[in-house]
Amino acid sequence: MTMFYTRVESIRRVPWAFMCNGIASIIAAFISFGVAHANATSRPHQWQWFMIIVGVLSILVSTLYFWKMSDNPATSRFLDEQEK
């Protein structure tokens, strides 16, 4: 993050990373609540469904970030020439 932003700008953006951790915990709680109230006689078991759902979501999000995020400011698409 420090490659893209100055020290002052980073101070405002780092809390977003921590906030996203809390949001992910809330989403996981809703998913686990829904899975826990699913039919208990089904296969795979409820805990296996939770792991499958969270795993698929993780793979989708990581694939999106792999293709959309740039390695450094010089190759970023969201910065203009002056900002690079």
Side-chain angles (χ1 to χ4, degrees):
M1 190 176 288
T2 58
M3 288 180 59
F4 288 95
Y5 303 109
T6 64
R7 182 175 288 216
V8 174
E9 292 172 334
S10 294
I11 293 170
R12 285 186 253 135
R13 285 173 172 82
V14 168
W16 283 95
F18 291 107
M19 187 175 68
C20 288
N21 186 16
I23 292 170
S25 297
I26 292 169
I27 292 170
F30 281 120
I31 293 171
S32 64
F33 179 81
V35 170
H37 287 83
N39 188 4
T41 60
S42 66
R43 290 246 183 233
H45 296 291
Q46 293 168 336
W47 66 270
Q48 291 170 325
W49 274 116
F50 179 75
M51 293 298 168
I52 291 169
I53 293 169
V54 172
V56 168
L57 286 173
S58 297
I59 290 170
L60 290 174
V61 170
S62 63
T63 303
L64 175 76
Y65 277 109
F66 179 76
W67 292 110
K68 293 294 181 182
M69 296 300 287
S70 58
D71 293 332
N72 56 42
T75 61
S76 64
R77 292 183 296 259
F78 60 89
L79 296 175
D80 60 13
E81 291 301 319
Q82 182 182 3
E83 293 173 332
K84 290 180 183 181

